[in-house]
Amino acid sequence: GVNFLFSPKILSVLFDKKYDVVVIGGYYTLTAWLTLFVFKVRGKKVVLRSGTHKYSESNTSALSKFMKRIFIKYVDSYVAYGTFAKEYLVSLGAKSERIFIEFDTVDVKFLREKCIDENCLNADKRNIRKKSLGLDGKIALYVGQLIERKNVITIIKTAEQLNTIIPELTFVIVGNGNQSDSLKSYVHNKNITNVQFVGSVKYEKVAEYYMAADVFMTMSVSDPYPLVINEAMSFGCPIIISRNCGNSIDLISNNGF
């Protein structure tokens, strides 16, 4: 469906003759539809930038898909962040040759240099870093929001199953969100001893957790292109990722999840 939030201030921008091309970041708002309409009436070019893919839109209604097809029909070209996003645009009627793929990222050069400076792939250095963070044994790391679509409960249930099977493995959860309390309650009520909640930490501190991790996990049920994967890989972390993440096909080979 369409979100009917609208910013009146955009009207003066849309009719400003100095703009010949507009890039619209999605098709869910009334503002996006009005922008498309005005620029097409003015005979100007419209570019749609989208990260939506079939796994993130699995519960989309037929009406919503119909409206997307109409929107996409009148767009001149597209920027898809990721292969999955391109495939989804094609499925809605966009011509493949008019779609350009961008691969979203972070400053991986800076992160890689930090990893090299810290000798982060050295096992002894990793163990020292673990101890400085109050950790021990093997570490499975999650970094991100604790919200429903991030599906952190699946990581916690995995920890629950492995609690006695691999006692030296600890699941470290970095981040906060509206599910923080319910997830902590689940861990407490189930007496899961191999999960540690860290909460929110400064960006510089997150690097310490990446460099201490033995594996990084994200099990989102819907995620266009989670940049924590780029961050974790910059520090040499092996990745376990849900296929519902838009970058799972672009950054990970032979992913089985």
Side-chain angles (χ1 to χ4, degrees):
V2 176
N3 185 321
F4 287 95
L5 291 176
F6 171 67
S7 174
K9 293 182 179 180
I10 199 172
L11 290 173
S12 60
V13 177
L14 296 181
F15 287 99
D16 192 323
K17 294 182 179 180
K18 68 182 179 183
Y19 298 114
D20 297 307
V21 180
V22 63
V23 179
I24 304 176
Y27 32 55
Y28 289 108
T29 66
L30 181 60
T31 299
W33 282 81
L34 179 62
T35 301
L36 174 67
F37 176 77
V38 170
F39 266 68
K40 296 311 292 184
V41 168
R42 291 180 56 213
K44 304 299 182 179
K45 299 296 183 181
V46 176
V47 177
L48 173 65
R49 184 177 181 270
S50 177
T52 305
H53 54 81
K54 63 180 179 180
Y55 297 116
S56 66
E57 296 288 286
S58 56
N59 296 321
T60 301
S61 67
L63 176 60
S64 180
K65 284 188 176 181
F66 175 72
M67 295 179 69
K68 290 177 187 176
R69 288 180 183 275
I70 294 176
F71 192 100
I72 285 170
K73 179 180 179 180
Y74 292 100
V75 172
D76 298 288
S77 60
Y78 316 83
V79 176
Y81 38 107
T83 301
F84 279 161
K86 178 179 179 178
E87 292 174 351
Y88 189 67
L89 286 170
V90 171
S91 75
L92 293 174
K95 294 183 178 180
S96 179
E97 63 271 18
R98 288 160 56 187
I99 303 174
F100 302 88
I101 293 181
E102 72 170 35
F103 297 105
D104 285 8
T105 188
V106 293
D107 188 353
V108 293
K109 181 180 178 181
F110 169 78
L111 298 179
R112 287 295 298 150
E113 289 176 350
K114 182 173 181 61
C115 178
I116 293 170
D117 291 342
E118 298 281 347
N119 198 11
C120 73
L121 299 182
N122 179 276
D124 292 333
K125 290 283 188 179
R126 182 180 294 115
N127 289 332
I128 293 172
R129 188 164 284 106
K130 288 176 183 178
K131 290 181 180 179
S132 71
L133 296 170
L135 304 172
D136 195 12
K138 299 297 183 182
I139 304 300
L141 177 67
Y142 168 82
V143 175
Q145 293 176 290
L146 306 190
I147 58 177
E148 185 175 3
R149 69 179 177 85
K150 294 292 187 177
N151 195 26
V152 181
I153 188 62
T154 292
I155 295 176
I156 291 175
K157 288 182 176 180
T158 300
E160 182 180 8
Q161 293 177 346
L162 298 176
N163 205 359
T164 57
I165 299 173
I166 312 178
E168 70 273 17
L169 178 61
T170 300
F171 290 76
V172 177
I173 312 294
V174 178
N176 271 320
N178 58 22
Q179 286 198 325
S180 293
D181 291 340
S182 62
L183 292 172
K184 291 176 182 178
S185 294
Y186 184 91
V187 169
H188 175 75
N189 294 336
K190 295 287 187 176
N191 193 29
I192 304 171
T193 58
N194 60 344
V195 172
Q196 180 172 325
F197 291 94
V198 175
S200 295
V201 299
K202 292 183 178 180
Y203 186 72
E204 297 80 9
K205 187 71 172 179
V206 174
E208 295 296 314
Y209 285 94
Y210 282 129
M211 289 189 284
D214 295 285
V215 64
F216 183 87
M217 302 178 68
T218 183
M219 293 286 107
S220 298
V221 294
S222 175
D223 218 329
Y225 212 91
L227 295 177
V228 288
I229 303 302
N230 304 64
E231 293 176 351
M233 293 179 73
S234 295
F235 290 106
C237 292
I239 306 295
I240 299 175
I241 184 173
S242 162
R243 71 174 184 176
N244 300 323
C245 298
N247 50 5
S248 62
I249 191 175
D250 295 313
L251 298 182
I252 311 296
S253 299
N254 301 318
N255 182 49
F257 296 87

